[in-house]
Amino acid sequence: MSNTPATAAAASSSKSKAAGTSQPQEKRKTLFQKELQHMMYGFGDEQNPLPETVALVEDIVVEYVTDLTHKAQEIGSKRGRLLVDDFLYLIRKDLPKLNRCRELLAMQEELKQARKAFDVDEKELVD
């Protein structure tokens, strides 16, 4: 098979369709490049990983989140709305992930309560 521009474009198009994206990889907006670079470094990769590697990891993450969201939406559509519990239900068998989500949700609630208490204290000082 020759490597003509038309062949390369068709191969690129089929790769993007297989990855679940509708745009070619060059034109697709990057969402999590910096965050993923930092996470990859934290897990033992080089401080500046190859852009192709970061793009691949980003594709995997976006595909996973999109798939999980679609599944949660299917569950929530029976009730008419999407809830956090729909996501927790989907990850119930992955205990580390489930525990981390519960920890983050508890932390979010604590922060919300702290902000509310801070707002009340600030209003009392102004009065």
Side-chain angles (χ1 to χ4, degrees):
M1 196 187 271
S2 65
N3 197 8
T4 64
T7 307
S12 174
S13 175
S14 66
K15 286 181 185 176
S16 66
K17 287 179 185 172
T21 59
S22 60
Q23 299 174 348
Q25 204 166 14
E26 297 82 15
K27 294 183 181 180
R28 186 177 52 82
K29 181 180 176 186
T30 59
L31 301 172
F32 310 111
Q33 292 277 323
K34 287 289 182 193
E35 293 85 356
L36 286 172
Q37 285 177 345
H38 294 297
M39 288 175 67
M40 291 168 68
Y41 179 65
F43 281 102
D45 202 342
E46 294 184 12
Q47 189 166 4
N48 294 313
L50 293 173
E52 295 86 6
T53 306
V54 177
L56 177 64
V57 172
E58 184 179 34
D59 286 344
I60 293 168
V61 169
V62 169
E63 183 179 342
Y64 173 77
V65 170
T66 303
D67 185 47
L68 191 70
T69 304
H70 284 270
K71 288 178 181 177
Q73 185 66 40
E74 288 175 16
I75 294 170
S77 67
K78 296 173 185 170
R79 207 178 22 260
R81 61 183 182 164
L82 186 61
L83 299 174
V84 172
D85 291 336
D86 298 330
F87 290 95
L88 295 176
Y89 175 77
L90 288 172
I91 61 170
R92 70 189 181 281
K93 294 181 182 177
D94 189 347
L95 290 180
K97 200 178 296 180
L98 180 64
N99 290 333
R100 179 67 175 151
C101 285
R102 286 182 176 158
E103 178 185 342
L104 290 171
L105 288 168
M107 201 178 311
Q108 179 185 21
E109 189 61 34
E110 286 178 32
L111 287 170
K112 192 184 298 183
Q113 296 300 325
R115 283 188 196 108
K116 191 181 293 183
F118 181 75
D119 288 342
V120 170
D121 291 342
E122 191 176 89
K123 287 178 184 176
E124 288 176 3
L125 290 174
V126 172
D127 292 339

